[in-house]
Amino acid sequence: MAPDTLQPVPNPAAKTAATPAPTLAAPAPRRQRLAAAAAALATAAVALIAAAAAPAGAASALIYTLACVAVVVAGWFAPASAAAAFAVLLQIGAATEELRSPLTVVGAIALALIVSLRTAPRVSAVCVAVLWYFIQVDVRGGVLVPLDLNTAVFAALMFASAWAGGTALRATLTTRAKDSAAFQQRLEDERDRAVKALHGSVATSLTSVVLRSEALAMGSSGQTAESAQLIADDARRAMQEVRALIRFMRDDAADLEGAVVNPQAPQPPGAAPAAPICTALADLADALRSHGFTVIETGLNDRVLGGVRLNHIESVCRELQTNILKYADAEKPVIVAAVRDEEAVTVAIQNAIADRQRDVHMTTGIGLEDAEELVGLDGAVLRHGFEDDLWRSDLIIPASPASPASPAGPAERK
């Protein structure tokens, strides 16, 4: 029964917070961290075994240096484990004089810088303190306290400088990542506002032009009817272009398809206030009567619909009106009924299906599937289907506290 229209597009009304882009301060993936930690600890163990079993010499010094380099590299992926492994290597060098080298000190300071960049300040402070301690003591030789105060102070200054530099760089990179994520989120919000404006304002206006032009064409003849039909065709083409632009803007957003609609999302600034649903349904019934339909109304009053508002109710009513004008049997009544319970307000619109479509050209350019999307933006549900020769559309809106009918208010529509 519904006219052929464009397929619905994904709804990006609700988005999760933007994820900051990976930076130098971001931790490595879990699998890489585990592999690097295992490699660092294994390197330290192998170096310890080799130092105990093999005689000292140029080959042992080369192996020891390569082990230090490997552990420093592993520190990029598993900083804490690499610091522990390098502490073991420092003790190996302290116990074997032939293995001692200035490169070991440089490697320890470089690892301190890497650890402070890749981990939180508290963790990196502990790791750097461990490196500072084990570079001065010899646990195997019984030297558990640094012997030279000047050396201890100088080493402390070096490691503290490395830790401070790495921590400051980490803070800077983290701040930039957060700022970038916030900026990206603002861009997505502006994109979403633009899409909603196109969908809710421009599309609604074009729909109104189509309906009025089609109504003029149906009630006129000759040149007037032809001109009205041309205006409707131009408006439909403009509607197609708007829909294509909406698709482009939504598809250009990163991974927004399938996002869950957030009915509590705030409306964009400057958005038109929602029309009372009672007024929109009354206008729908009046429009159908003007085309010769018999409309039976029930429940369209403030007691049932009081306090219920829907941002896109006018667009949805236009689509429902168009379908009824095209496909409904004008000899049989159209029923528009509203009921309210504790959880929701349900508006049911039912009509008999005619044997033949009245006007194949008439369309709002929206379609019932897109009408479902529009009401979904407001947290409501639109269902439709047919049984035998009856077509029924149900609009289910979450209930809000009903506004009691005012004695001075509008009279109830029977």
Side-chain angles (χ1 to χ4, degrees):
M1 176 175 174
D4 294 332
T5 60
L6 293 169
Q7 294 298 318
V9 295
N11 169 36
K15 299 183 289 296
T16 56
T19 303
T23 65
L24 295 176
R30 178 180 176 84
R31 184 174 299 179
Q32 293 183 7
R33 293 200 305 269
L34 294 177
L41 296 176
T43 300
V46 170
L48 181 61
I49 295 174
S60 299
L62 178 61
I63 294 175
Y64 177 77
T65 302
L66 292 177
C68 291
V69 173
V71 172
V72 170
V73 173
W76 186 266
F77 304 97
S81 300
F86 206 89
V88 175
L89 293 177
L90 290 175
Q91 288 304 292
I92 295 175
T96 307
E97 184 177 356
E98 291 81 359
L99 299 180
R100 298 175 184 176
S101 170
L103 293 178
T104 305
V105 179
V106 174
I109 296 175
L111 183 59
L113 178 63
I114 293 174
V115 170
S116 59
L117 173 63
R118 302 286 290 175
T119 60
R122 292 182 179 180
V123 177
S124 62
V126 173
C127 294
V128 171
V130 168
L131 292 174
W132 170 82
Y133 175 76
F134 281 101
I135 202 173
Q136 300 177 82
V137 301
D138 183 2
V139 176
R140 184 178 179 183
V143 180
L144 302 180
V145 178
L147 299 178
D148 190 340
L149 180 60
N150 293 330
T151 302
V153 172
F154 178 76
L157 291 176
M158 295 295 293
F159 280 101
S161 299
W163 178 83
T167 302
L169 181 58
R170 174 183 175 84
T172 301
L173 294 175
T174 302
T175 301
R176 288 185 178 180
K178 291 180 179 179
D179 292 342
S180 176
F183 178 72
Q184 183 65 28
Q185 184 64 55
R186 287 195 297 270
L187 288 180
E188 296 299 341
D189 291 341
E190 291 299 327
R191 182 202 303 270
D192 187 47
R193 291 190 184 99
V195 168
K196 287 182 178 179
L198 287 173
H199 218 318
S201 177
V202 178
T204 300
S205 299
L206 291 175
T207 297
S208 178
V209 172
V210 172
L211 286 175
R212 293 179 184 276
S213 301
E214 291 286 0
L216 179 60
M218 294 171 62
S220 306
S221 60
Q223 187 66 29
T224 302
E226 182 179 353
S227 298
Q229 189 62 54
L230 290 175
I231 294 174
D233 292 341
D234 289 341
R236 279 194 293 270
R237 282 193 294 271
M239 177 73 76
Q240 299 289 341
E241 294 175 359
V242 171
R243 300 289 292 167
L245 179 59
I246 290 174
R247 282 197 182 92
F248 171 78
M249 295 180 68
R250 287 180 173 174
D251 291 342
D252 191 50
D255 299 329
L256 293 179
E257 294 187 6
V260 180
V261 175
N262 178 13
Q264 304 299 328
Q267 293 300 316
I277 187 173
C278 188
T279 302
L281 292 174
D283 292 342
L284 169 64
D286 292 340
L288 293 176
R289 289 192 182 95
S290 68
H291 286 277
F293 284 85
T294 300
V295 181
I296 300 175
E297 302 176 42
T298 178
L300 304 188
N301 51 60
D302 289 341
R303 182 175 58 84
V304 177
L305 299 174
V308 178
R309 303 175 74 87
L310 205 63
N311 287 344
H312 302 91
I313 185 61
E314 293 181 350
S315 298
V316 174
C317 284
R318 288 192 187 103
E319 176 60 30
L320 296 176
Q321 172 187 330
T322 300
N323 278 268
I324 293 173
L325 293 178
K326 290 182 62 176
Y327 301 102
D329 188 347
E331 302 299 325
K332 298 181 180 180
V334 177
I335 300 175
V336 182
V339 294
R340 185 181 195 127
D341 57 26
E342 295 180 355
E343 297 181 354
V345 174
T346 301
V347 179
I349 303 176
Q350 179 176 292
N351 62 268
I353 303 174
D355 295 333
R356 185 173 58 181
Q357 181 176 331
R358 298 177 63 189
D359 186 352
V360 295
H361 298 292
M362 188 175 182
T363 175
T364 63
I366 297 179
L368 286 177
E369 291 182 338
D370 289 331
E372 293 178 17
E373 179 186 351
L374 286 178
V375 299
L377 293 174
D378 303 321
V381 176
L382 176 63
R383 298 173 182 170
H384 51 82
F386 64 90
E387 182 177 356
D388 297 332
D389 62 342
L390 296 177
W391 180 270
R392 175 167 171 164
S393 300
D394 290 339
L395 180 60
I396 305 172
I397 311 167
S400 59
S403 300
S406 173
E412 293 187 359
R413 299 173 62 95
K414 296 183 180 181

